Amino acid sequence: MMHAPTPRSDRMLAACAAGVTVVLWASAFVSIRSAGAAYSPGALALGRLLAGALTLGVFCLLRREGLPPRAAWRGILISGLLWFGFYMVALNWGEQQVDAGTAALVVNIGPVLIALLGARLLGDSMPPRLLAGMAVSFAGAVTVGLSMSGGGGSSVLGVVLCLLAAVAYAAGVVAQKPALGAASPLQVTTYGCLVGAVACLPFAGQLVREAAEAPVTATLNMVYLGVFPTALAFTTWAYALARTTASRMGATTYAVPALVVLMSWLALGEVPGPLTLVGGALCLAGVAVSRSRSRTAARAAAVPVAREEAAREPR
């Protein structure tokens, strides 16, 4: 399946949207550490999704966005159940069973799975630069993970949960891509978040009990997770995904480990070691390579845009 070239301004906006997503998703790891100490995995996922769905619902009302078309619902339901629902619960649970480094190592197979599923199911191209960039970033993620794995313990259950989270993340992204061809990014994100929240309703009792005893900071972090890393970041993700391939967007998320290291350093005083810094640099370098395009591809993409602009000129 061929993807039509997008104008330069659209590509720049999509890149900015992807950047917002990556920064906010990185910040989520810092907030989860606080909220996860007071909330169980399912309750934290439900609270986050409810805050996200409420925020997104307000924006839908303000923008007068109606229900998504029927053609988009299959992708919305699958991504809502797998990515918004199952992924968040499995990741929260898995990170309680394994150390942060092991979780990062396992979850970071997600972009690789996205590339494989995207090529198989969506017809995404796999240019050499994308493959090379993903290889460099994955090496960086492994390096970051190994550098962080010294102080914690791992369990088979935790590794399995993180692996299932990575599979759900990849499948959710690939399912979401076709839905964005029929509905707006805000619609796809709002109803996907709502589907995830409904799927997590069995944890409502836990959420009520734990919210009554949780410190205010933990609850505020849960609300932050819903408003920013969920409502805002998933919407900017959908906006960018609608304008590029699932494989390229998946590779972009390899910048998250590097930003988590930086944010943990600034916010939590966790000074990274030399190996962690090297891994973070590799993650960023790989993303830069995967997002770049060869001169031939750039010229090929520019030709239709130039023709379109020339056709609009008065004669």
Side-chain angles (χ1 to χ4, degrees), residues 141-219:
V142 170
T143 303
V144 170
L146 291 176
S147 69
M148 297 167 59
S149 297
S154 299
S155 71
V156 174
L157 174 61
V159 172
V160 170
L161 286 168
C162 290
L163 179 61
L164 290 174
V167 173
Y169 158 49
V173 170
V174 173
Q176 189 186 61
K177 175 66 176 177
L180 290 166
S184 71
L186 182 58
Q187 287 176 319
V188 172
T189 306
T190 300
Y191 289 94
C193 186
L194 188 60
V195 168
V198 171
C200 290
L201 282 179
F203 302 107
Q206 290 181 6
L207 176 60
V208 172
R209 289 193 302 271
E210 292 169 7
E213 301 177 357
V216 175
T217 54
T219 301

Side-chain angles (χ1 to χ4, degrees), residues 17-106:
V20 170
T21 298
V22 167
V23 170
L24 291 177
W25 281 357
S27 75
F29 283 86
V30 179
S31 292
I32 286 173
R33 292 190 186 184
S34 172
Y39 288 96
S40 58
L44 177 57
L46 176 59
R48 175 179 178 176
L49 289 167
L50 289 175
L54 179 61
T55 303
L56 289 163
V58 170
F59 277 103
C60 276
L61 289 175
L62 292 175
R63 290 179 56 85
R64 297 182 180 179
E65 298 258 1
L67 289 172
R70 182 180 299 179
W73 274 105
R74 182 171 180 268
I76 289 173
L77 289 171
I78 294 174
S79 64
L81 289 171
L82 292 181
W83 193 10
F84 287 88
F86 182 84
Y87 166 82
M88 291 190 183
V89 176
L91 184 60
N92 291 343
W93 190 5
E95 288 193 359
Q96 291 184 353
Q97 305 293 318
V98 301
D99 56 81
T102 302
L105 282 173
V106 178

